[in-house]
Amino acid sequence: MSDTTRDINRVTTAIIKVSLRLIIYALSVLVLYEGMTAGFRFGHEIFGAKAVSEPPGIVKTVVVEEGQTGSQVGDMLEKEGLIRNRHAFAVQAMFYDYEIYPGAYVLNSSMTPKEILEELSVKPEDGEGVPGT
C-alpha cells in the first residue's frame, strides 16, 4: 500500500470517528431534551392540571368498586373523559395522600383532577348518588 493510500485511510478514519462522536453527542442532547420536556409536562399534569372542559361541562356518574386502585380509577376516569392523564391522577392520589372510597359519584368534566380526588375521598352515604336508589 502506498503512502498516499495510507494517508487517505487515516484521514477517512478520523473523519468517520469525529462524525460518529458528533452523532452520539447530538442524539444524547436530543434524548436529554425530550426527557426533560416530558418530565416537565408530567409534573405540570400533577401539580397544575386543568379540567378537561370549561363549565358547565358534562355530568357523568361513575362507580368505584371495592378494591380498585388509584391507577384503575384513573383509567376509568380517563375513558369517561373526566381527566386527561390517568398516570398523573394516580400519582396525585398517592402524593396528596387521598383515599378513594368505593361508591357511586356524580362528577363533571369541568372539575380538575384534584377536585375529583377530593370528591372521591369522601365516603358516600348509603345509596347516595346511586341512580335509581
Side-chain angles (χ1 to χ4, degrees):
M1 193 181 313
S2 71
D3 287 337
T4 307
T5 306
R6 255 186 250 127
D7 288 342
I8 291 173
N9 285 343
R10 255 185 290 161
V11 169
T12 304
T13 302
I15 290 173
I16 290 172
K17 284 182 180 179
V18 169
S19 297
L20 287 175
R21 283 186 186 151
L22 288 174
I23 290 170
I24 289 171
Y25 292 147
L27 288 174
S28 297
V29 168
L30 179 65
V31 167
L32 186 63
Y33 173 78
E34 289 297 323
M36 289 187 319
T37 304
F40 176 81
R41 273 187 301 228
F42 188 69
H44 192 268
E45 279 291 322
I46 293 170
F47 299 109
K50 295 182 180 177
V52 172
S53 62
E54 295 293 320
I58 300 170
V59 176
K60 295 198 177 193
T61 301
V62 296
V63 178
V64 176
E65 302 293 332
E66 183 75 37
Q68 276 188 311
T69 64
S71 183
Q72 292 168 328
V73 173
D75 190 39
M76 174 188 58
L77 294 173
E78 186 179 53
K79 287 178 184 172
E80 289 291 329
L82 293 168
I83 61 171
R84 295 177 202 263
N85 188 326
R86 66 181 182 259
H87 302 296
F89 181 84
V91 171
Q92 279 179 325
M94 287 187 311
F95 183 79
Y96 293 120
D97 201 26
Y98 282 108
E99 184 173 346
I100 298 173
Y101 292 105
Y105 297 90
V106 178
L107 304 173
N108 193 306
S109 63
S110 66
M111 296 170 76
T112 66
K114 192 167 181 186
E115 291 171 335
I116 291 173
L117 275 168
E118 289 170 355
E119 200 63 37
L120 298 176
S121 68
V122 176
K123 281 188 179 179
E125 300 294 323
D126 290 331
E128 181 182 314
V130 180
T133 59

